[in-house]
Amino acid sequence: MRIVIAGGHGKIALILSRQLADRGDEVLGLIRNPDHEADLRAAGAEPVVFDLEQGTADELATIVRGADAVVFAAGAGPGSGAARKDTVDRGGAVLLADAAEAAAVRRYVMVSSMGAAKGGAGIEDEVFAAYQEAKKAADEDLMARDLSWTIIRPGGLTDDPGTGLVTMAPETGRGSIPREDVARVVCAVLDDPATDGVVTEVISGDERIAVALAELTD
């Protein structure tokens, strides 16, 4: 497969790029900073410089055209304010969906956030509330589109080694998960057309990813 990842220099994206490249997929990673090109190449991805906050859907459509799928794994990141949570975490996701539609790329996998369905309701921290509102808006925008989408909402992210064992459900309850396992879930979802239209939270658990996905899509 040919897969375009938005947020190509993020921790999950770099792990995902390596996993996809190792199995023979062609990976393009979108980055804002040209200094990150070497990191993407080391992970097996072809870097493409594109700023999700400045570029247009038409420009991005020329990049994603011909891909089998797009993955949104971008984020404004730690230290960013509420405004950039909206322009990156929501605006970037919407831009990628617009580009996918324009380029006739139907498959879209969203790496979202646990609790995104509730947005910022009840969250005292202004920036985190804005982040959750942005994720909620991005998810809702994608769900309203005629694309083959899957939304993955991981729990607290860690850099621990992955186990390949997860719990997946529309609501799992609070928990954490290694980024390596989130990337494995994205890989599995890309291979499974039955996950079209699925929204799921995911944390570490005791089921193999393939089994957990099969139970979700039965």
Side-chain angles (χ1 to χ4, degrees):
M1 288 192 290
R2 179 180 173 89
I3 298 156
V4 178
I5 304 174
H9 194 254
K11 289 184 177 182
I12 290 174
L14 288 172
I15 297 168
L16 175 61
S17 294
R18 192 171 294 109
Q19 292 174 355
L20 292 170
D22 284 350
R23 71 183 200 177
D25 291 323
E26 181 182 357
V27 185
L28 275 68
L30 305 182
I31 53 173
R32 184 178 61 170
N33 187 347
D35 291 344
H36 294 157
E37 290 184 359
D39 292 339
L40 267 71
R41 290 197 175 96
E46 179 63 29
V48 179
V49 177
F50 181 85
D51 190 334
L52 291 168
E53 294 177 279
Q54 301 296 326
T56 68
D58 286 343
E59 290 167 343
L60 185 51
T62 65
I63 297 169
V64 305
R65 187 166 286 113
D68 296 292
V70 297
V71 176
F72 187 80
S80 58
R84 291 201 68 226
K85 302 302 184 190
D86 182 70
T87 56
V88 178
D89 293 270
R90 182 202 59 80
V94 170
L95 186 73
L96 183 62
D98 288 342
E101 288 180 337
V105 178
R106 288 196 46 77
R107 193 73 173 108
Y108 188 126
V109 178
M110 175 82 82
V111 180
S112 183
S113 172
M114 176 174 283
K118 299 175 183 177
I123 300 174
E124 293 184 3
D125 182 274
E126 178 184 353
V127 175
F128 186 57
Y131 169 75
Q132 289 293 78
E133 283 294 329
K135 286 297 190 183
K136 179 177 187 283
D139 289 358
E140 289 178 347
D141 175 85
L142 183 58
M143 288 187 279
R145 295 177 186 259
D146 183 24
L147 291 171
S148 176
W149 51 261
T150 305
I151 297 172
I152 300 165
R153 294 172 171 166
L157 298 170
T158 76
D159 292 322
D160 296 335
T163 65
L165 300 174
V166 299
T167 294
M168 301 179 74
E171 293 188 15
T172 60
R174 296 184 67 177
S176 62
I177 183 170
R179 290 177 172 85
E180 183 179 351
D181 282 336
V182 176
R184 286 173 173 161
V185 170
V186 174
C187 282
V189 161
L190 286 167
D191 289 340
D192 188 353
T195 60
D196 180 3
V198 167
V199 182
T200 183
E201 293 184 349
V202 58
I203 56 175
S204 293
D206 55 11
E207 288 191 312
R208 289 182 293 110
I209 291 168
V211 173
L213 281 177
E215 291 176 353
L216 271 178
T217 56
D218 274 349

